[in-house]
Amino acid sequence: MNQSPEIPTTPSAPGAHATAHRAPARALLVSDVDSTFLTQEVIELVAEHAGAREQVAEVTTRAMRGEMDFTQSLHARVATLAGLPVSVLAEVRAALVPTPGALELVERCRAAGVVTALVSGGFHEAIDELAASAGIDHVLANRFEVREDRLTGRVSGPIVDAQTKRRTLEELAARHGVPIERTVAVGDGANDAPMVRAAGIGIAFRGKPALVDVSDVHLEGESLLDVWPHLERILERD
């Protein structure tokens, strides 16, 4: 059984150093990262530096369709990165493109008292800086194993898989005193299905069929801000 990693608070997030002074949470939004909060798949950007992008993209597609076990697929993809200097991750961070509407969605959540979290099968080393600058409250992702400033081709620590995402939603709701019916989960792939099913409103954003089939809402537009009306429905219950 995969051990659950701890859910860190983003250092620059509102309330990270003064939780006692923050108003009670009115709702919780948990989002996947790759092809949801971002337009890209982070591991494919890293793999490009190893000359393995096409190979990694094929495995990613199979995993997101539910045709391949996510943990198995992650190990296979990360193995192609062995030997890359850790410095390439700075180039990857510089190349990240948030999905249209993603940053505005976070701003609206912050203003409305909605706790935000990114839960990713991707990697902290790529997304933490963007999450902090956006004001995301919590980020949970995998970590690359590094030896002598090079990627080893292995993951360090417990893997963030589909069930970890679901548990994170439930644990953050409990931590912030948010009833599960006041939670929203957003994702695009099969590994988001348990989290989406567990949320009060589960949203497939440009989702694969395996996720669309279990979601409450399917959004096909280009903007992640299309999630906001569904959060408003929850906030209007106050």
Side-chain angles (χ1 to χ4, degrees):
M1 183 173 65
N2 189 30
Q3 178 186 354
S4 293
E6 292 186 7
I7 310 165
T9 299
T10 308
S12 66
H17 303 293
T19 304
H21 301 292
R22 188 173 182 185
R26 298 176 65 201
L28 169 67
L29 171 66
V30 180
S31 176
D32 174 47
V33 175
D34 297 292
S35 296
T36 303
F37 194 81
L38 297 176
T39 62
Q40 308 122 308
E41 294 282 334
V42 166
I43 197 165
E44 293 176 14
L45 298 180
V46 183
E48 188 165 5
H49 292 271
R53 182 165 187 162
E54 186 175 337
Q55 175 187 349
V56 165
E58 181 180 350
V59 176
T60 298
T61 298
R62 290 183 61 199
M64 293 305 99
R65 288 176 179 164
E67 297 170 359
M68 186 177 185
D69 174 74
F70 177 79
T71 297
Q72 179 187 2
S73 77
L74 184 65
H75 285 308
R77 288 176 287 169
V78 173
T80 70
L81 311 178
L84 278 180
V86 74
S87 59
V88 305
L89 297 177
E91 297 178 50
V92 169
R93 287 191 292 272
L96 296 181
V97 179
T99 296
L103 300 182
E104 186 176 350
L105 176 63
V106 175
E107 289 176 5
R108 291 193 185 187
C109 286
R110 290 173 59 181
V114 177
V115 172
T116 55
L118 298 180
V119 183
S120 177
F123 291 86
H124 275 290
E125 293 89 343
I127 64 174
D128 279 1
E129 185 176 294
L130 174 62
S133 66
I136 296 289
D137 293 300
H138 303 281
V139 181
L140 184 65
N142 297 301
R143 294 188 184 277
F144 290 114
E145 184 181 82
V146 177
R147 293 286 184 273
E148 297 180 353
D149 294 324
R150 291 188 177 272
L151 305 186
T152 66
R154 294 185 293 271
V155 179
S156 176
I159 287 178
V160 177
D161 61 10
Q163 295 305 324
T164 306
K165 290 186 173 189
R166 174 190 57 79
R167 287 193 296 269
T168 300
L169 171 82
E170 295 168 346
E171 290 169 12
L172 285 176
R175 182 187 302 184
H176 290 281
V178 176
I180 202 69
E181 62 268 20
R182 296 180 69 91
T183 64
V184 174
V186 190
D188 73 298
N191 68 320
D192 298 312
M195 173 179 77
V196 164
R197 282 198 301 262
I201 300 176
I203 299 176
F205 181 74
R206 303 173 64 84
K208 307 297 187 296
L211 184 64
V212 172
D213 289 346
V214 301
S215 64
D216 301 306
V217 176
H218 182 207
L219 299 176
E220 274 294 344
E222 298 288 337
S223 176
L224 202 61
L225 194 57
D226 292 344
V227 169
W228 180 248
H230 301 283
L231 276 163
E232 279 190 312
R233 284 169 45 197
I234 291 173
L235 300 176
E236 288 167 358
R237 297 173 194 166
D238 288 350

